[in-house]
C-alpha cells in the first residue's frame, strides 16, 4: 500500500511535465521559423533579386516586431488568455510562413515575415505564462529554464535541417515545410492544454516600482541576448578571414557553438530542478569574456578556439534560462506575469537587433580583441542585473509564500515554494483550488 501511494504521488507531482514539454516544443517550432530564412538566403537573393541588406531586413523583421510590440503583447495576452494566444500565435506563424513560401517580391516576403513576427511574439510571451500557471516550486524554475532553450534549439534545427534541404529543395519548398510544424502544433495544443483561468485586471494603476523586477530581468535578458547573437554572427567572419578555414568548416563550428547555448539552458533546468539557487549560477558569467580571448585569437588551435566559443554560448544560454526562471518570483500578482514576459521579450529583441552592429563597430574600431571587451561590458551588465534580480526574487518569494496561483482543473502541481498570488477565474467562480 505504501509503495502504491508513493508511486501515485510521483505521478501526480510529475503530471505538469507533459504540458511543459508540449509548450516547449511549440517554442522550438516557432524558433525554427525565426531561423528559416538564413539557410535559403542565397537562393532567395537569386530568385527575388534581393540585395544583402534587403535579405537582412527579411531575416531580422521577426525580432523587430518583438522589439516594438513586446510589452503591448503582454497586456493583450493578459486579457485574451495565454493558452489561446499560444495556439493562435502558432497558427498565425503557419499562415504567414505559407504566404512567404509563395512570395514573388521583396515586399510580400517582408510583409509575411512581419506577420510571422506577430505570431512568434505571441508564442514567446504566452509560452512562459502557460508554464508558470501549470507549475510550482522547483518544477516551475526548471520548466522555465527549459523554456530558455527554445531559441537556440530551434535555430540549431533550422540550421541543420535547412542546410541539408536547401541544397536539394527550392527555397519555396523549404519555407513551406517550416509552416507545417506550427500548424500541427497549434491543433495539438488546442486539444492537449487545459483551459487556463484568465486573470482579471483588478488595479489598472500600478504603484511606482511595480515593474522594477521585470525591467531589471528584461535588461539582463537583452544584454545576454546581445552577447549571444553577436558572438554567433561575427564568428563565421573571423573563422573564414583570420583562421582561413572553409565555409563548411566555419558552418560546422558555428552549429556546435549554437548547440552549446541549448546545452547550457538544459544544464540550468537540471540544476534548478535539484534545488540549486539561481544566485549560485550567476557568477559563471565571468567565464564569458575570459573564454572570448582564445575564441577570437588565431594563436590557438581551431579546436581550442571552437571550444572556447562554445563555452561562451554555454554560459550565455545557462544565464538566459536563469532569467526566465526568475520572472515569476519577480512579480507579486498573477496577472503581472503576462506583462512581465512581454517586457522580457521586448528588451530581449532589442538586444538581438543591437548585438551584431554593436560588436561590428567595436571590431572595426579596435580589432578582434574588442569582442572580449564588448562581452565583458554587456555580459557583465546582464550578469549584475540578473544577480540583483535573483536576490530580489528570493526575498519576494518569502513574502508571498502563503499565496498560490491556481492551476486549471485536472492539472496537479507539486506543492511547495515559489507560489504567486491567487488568481480567481471570473468565468468559473466555483472552480476547484489546490
Amino acid at each position: 500500500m505504501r509503495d502504491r501511494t508513493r508511486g501515485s504521488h510521483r505521478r501526480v507531482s510529475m503530471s505538469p511535465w507533459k504540458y511543459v514539454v508540449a509548450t516547449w516544443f511549440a517554442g522550438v517550432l516557432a524558433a525554427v521559423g525565426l531561423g528559416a530564412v538564413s539557410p535559403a538566403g542565397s537562393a532567395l537573393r537569386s530568385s527575388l533579386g534581393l540585395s544583402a541588406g534587403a535579405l537582412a531586413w527579411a531575416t531580422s523583421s521577426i525580432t523587430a516586431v518583438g522589439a516594438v510590440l513586446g510589452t503591448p503583447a503582454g497586456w493583450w495576452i493578459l486579457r485574451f488568455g495565454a493558452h489561446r494566444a499560444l495556439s493562435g500565435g502558432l497558427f498565425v506563424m503557419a499562415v504567414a510562413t505559407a504566404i512567404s513560401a509563395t512570395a514573388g517580391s521583396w515586399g510580400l516576403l517582408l510583409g509575411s515575415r512581419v506577420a510571422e513576427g506577430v505570431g512568434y511574439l505571441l508564442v514567446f510571451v504566452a509560452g512562459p505564462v502557460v508554464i508558470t500557471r501549470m507549475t510550482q516550486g522547483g518544477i516551475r524554475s526548471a520548466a522555465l529554464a527549459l523554456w530558455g532553450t527554445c531559441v537556440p534549439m530551434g535555430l540549431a534545427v533550422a540550421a541543420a535541417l535547412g542546410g541539408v534541404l536547401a541544397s536539394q529543395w527550392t527555397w519555396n519548398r523549404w519555407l513551406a515545410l517550416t509552416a507545417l510544424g506550427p500548424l500541427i502544433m497549434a491543433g495539438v495544443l488546442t486539444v492537449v492544454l487545459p483551459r487556463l483561468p484568465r486573470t482579471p485586471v483588478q488595479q489598472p494603476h500600478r504603484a511606482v516600482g511595480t515593474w522594477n523586477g521585470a525591467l531589471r530581468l528584461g535588461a539582463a535578458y537583452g544584454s545576454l541576448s546581445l552577447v549571444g547573437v553577436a558572438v554567433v554572427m561575427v564568428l563565421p567572419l573571423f573563422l573564414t578571414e583570420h583562421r582561413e578555414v572553409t565555409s563548411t568548416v566555419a558552418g560546422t563550428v558555428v552549429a556546435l557553438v549554437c548547440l552549446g547555448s541549448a546545452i547550457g539552458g538544459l544544464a540550468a533546468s537540471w540544476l534548478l530542478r535539484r534545488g540549486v539557487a539561481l544566485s549560485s549560477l550567476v557568477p559563471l558569467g565571468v567565464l564569458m569574456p575570459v573564454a572570448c580571448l582564445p575564441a577570437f585569437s588565431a594563436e590557438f588551435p581551431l579546436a581550442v578556439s571552437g571550444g572556447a566559443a562554445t563555452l561562451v554560448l554555454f554560459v550565455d544560454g545557462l544565464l538566459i534560462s536563469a532569467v526566465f526562471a526568475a520572472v515569476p518570483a519577480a512579480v507579486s500578482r498573477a496577472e503581472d506575469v503576462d506583462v512581465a514576459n512581454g517586457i522580457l521579450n521586448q528588451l530581449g529583441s532589442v538586444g538581438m537587433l543591437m548585438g551584431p552592429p554593436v560588436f561590428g563597430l567595436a571590431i572595426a574600431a579596435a580589432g578582434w580583441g574588442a569582442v572580449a571587451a564588448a562581452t565583458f561590458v554587456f555580459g557583465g551588465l546582464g550578469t549584475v542585473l540578473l544577480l540583483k534580480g535573483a536576490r530580489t526574487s528570493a526575498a519576494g518569494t518569502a513574502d508571498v509564500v502563503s499565496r498560490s496561483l491556481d492551476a486549471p482543473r485536472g492539472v496537479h502541481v507539486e506543492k511547495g515554494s515559489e507560489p504567486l498570488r491567487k488568481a480567481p477565474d471570473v468565468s468559473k467562480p466555483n472552480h476547484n483550488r489546490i
Side-chain angles (χ1 to χ4, degrees), residues 62-430:
I62 287 184
T63 51
V65 172
V68 175
L69 299 177
T71 302
W75 285 108
W76 183 81
I77 289 172
L78 170 61
R79 291 157 176 77
F80 186 70
H83 68 294
R84 290 194 292 175
L86 181 59
S87 299
L90 289 168
F91 181 76
V92 169
M93 287 196 72
V95 173
T97 304
I99 294 174
S100 67
T102 63
S105 65
W106 179 76
L108 183 57
L109 177 65
L110 181 63
S112 61
R113 288 288 286 179
V114 169
E116 190 177 352
V118 173
Y120 176 88
L121 178 61
L122 292 178
V123 171
F124 273 85
V125 175
V129 177
V130 170
I131 291 175
T132 299
R133 292 179 179 169
M134 291 285 185
T135 55
Q136 280 187 332
I139 288 181
R140 175 183 291 163
S141 296
L144 289 170
L146 178 66
W147 176 261
T149 69
C150 286
V151 172
M153 190 70 73
L155 293 179
V157 171
L161 188 60
V164 173
L165 296 180
S167 60
Q168 303 175 11
W169 289 12
T170 63
W171 64 268
N172 310 80
R173 293 176 64 189
W174 160 242
L175 291 182
L177 176 64
T178 64
L180 288 178
L183 181 62
I184 294 171
M185 201 63 201
V188 170
L189 291 180
T190 302
V191 175
V192 170
L193 285 183
R195 183 179 178 83
L196 294 171
R198 281 188 288 174
T199 53
V201 181
Q202 299 172 343
Q203 297 180 6
H205 300 290
R206 296 289 190 261
V208 176
T210 297
W211 303 111
N212 283 353
L215 288 169
R216 189 180 296 116
L217 290 175
Y221 182 38
S223 298
L224 294 168
S225 296
L226 186 152
V227 171
V229 170
V231 168
V232 169
M233 293 297 291
V234 302
L235 184 59
L237 181 63
F238 172 78
L239 292 175
T240 54
E241 290 192 358
H242 290 266
R243 300 303 298 258
E244 298 182 347
V245 303
T246 65
S247 58
T248 302
V249 173
T252 302
V253 172
V254 171
L256 292 174
V257 169
C258 290
L259 188 60
S261 180
I263 295 173
L266 293 174
S269 178
W270 185 85
L271 291 169
L272 293 172
R273 180 69 181 90
R274 280 152 182 78
V276 176
L278 276 172
S279 56
S280 65
L281 300 180
V282 179
L284 293 173
V286 73
L287 296 176
M288 289 194 294
V290 174
C292 278
L293 294 174
F296 290 90
S297 173
E299 298 178 0
F300 293 86
L302 181 60
V304 173
S305 296
T310 303
L311 178 60
V312 175
L313 268 292
F314 174 88
V315 175
D316 189 70
L318 184 145
L319 295 181
I320 285 175
S321 289
V323 169
F324 280 98
V327 170
V331 298
S332 59
R333 294 156 47 91
E335 57 265 38
D336 291 345
V337 173
D338 307 65
V339 181
N341 279 289
I343 292 172
L344 207 72
N345 278 273
Q346 182 157 4
L347 295 180
S349 296
V350 170
M352 292 179 189
L353 287 173
M354 289 178 56
V358 166
F359 270 57
L361 289 174
I363 293 168
W368 288 101
V371 173
T375 300
F376 175 79
V377 172
F378 291 101
L381 176 62
T383 300
V384 170
L385 290 170
L386 176 55
L387 181 59
K388 188 171 183 180
R391 288 174 175 171
T392 303
S393 299
T397 298
D399 295 334
V400 298
V401 71
S402 61
R403 295 175 291 188
S404 174
L405 181 69
D406 288 328
R409 181 176 301 181
V411 179
H412 301 279
V413 296
E414 183 178 280
K415 296 180 181 180
S417 59
E418 300 183 28
L420 295 177
R421 181 178 178 177
K422 287 185 178 180
D425 183 1
V426 293
S427 64
K428 296 181 181 179
N430 295 321

